[in-house]
Amino acid sequence: MDNLERFELATTVSGKTFKFFNHPKANFLIDLPNKMILGITSSISCIDCYLPDENEIYHYAGDISFGNDNGINYLNFHSRSISALSFNNEKVQIPKSSNALCNVRIELQIDKSIKWFDSVREKF
């Protein structure tokens, strides 16, 4: 059986049905206008991302999870599909032959956000 024949149907919260290579394990699916589908799994604080191939069959592309490790809040992005990263709009290419980069952890400090919003309010 080739990939064109191997798919499962799943319905998003909008009521639309899509083809998936493997059935998503998410609690619910949200289809976005940019052809991405997000799968929310609340029990493990995770959002999966699904992208279509040329035959409109959706495949798992990565996930973002949310956590707290010893008081440090973080976002963890996992994917074998990472082709580039951007830092302040500066793109860093990932070699196409490499799939070594598959996890990106971003630690969050709410104080930084509070200070930024305070500085913006002062300008207005």
Side-chain angles (χ1 to χ4, degrees), residues 34-76:
N34 60 4
K35 296 185 88 173
M36 287 183 172
I37 295 180
L38 302 179
I40 311 297
T41 307
S42 58
S43 63
I44 58 172
S45 301
C46 183
I47 301 173
D48 294 334
C49 177
Y50 298 91
L51 299 174
D53 63 18
E54 64 278 357
N55 299 305
E56 298 297 314
I57 297 174
Y58 281 79
H59 299 261
Y60 168 82
D63 62 76
I64 187 166
S65 59
F66 306 85
N68 183 299
D69 189 10
N70 294 320
I72 298 172
N73 294 298
Y74 66 88
L75 305 173
N76 188 66

Side-chain angles (χ1 to χ4, degrees), residues 74-110:
Y74 66 88
L75 305 173
N76 188 66
F77 180 73
H78 169 79
S79 176
R80 293 287 178 187
S81 304
I82 298 172
S83 62
L85 296 172
S86 294
F87 299 96
N88 292 330
N89 296 323
E90 293 292 324
K91 188 184 271 190
V92 178
Q93 289 295 130
I94 309 298
K96 288 185 185 244
S97 61
S98 174
N99 67 354
L101 177 63
C102 62
N103 285 302
V104 177
R105 180 174 164 149
I106 303 167
E107 294 184 358
L108 305 171
Q109 293 178 338
I110 193 62

Side-chain angles (χ1 to χ4, degrees), residues 22-33:
N22 289 315
H23 197 280
K25 294 173 177 43
N27 299 103
F28 60 94
L29 300 168
I30 302 169
D31 54 304
L32 301 177

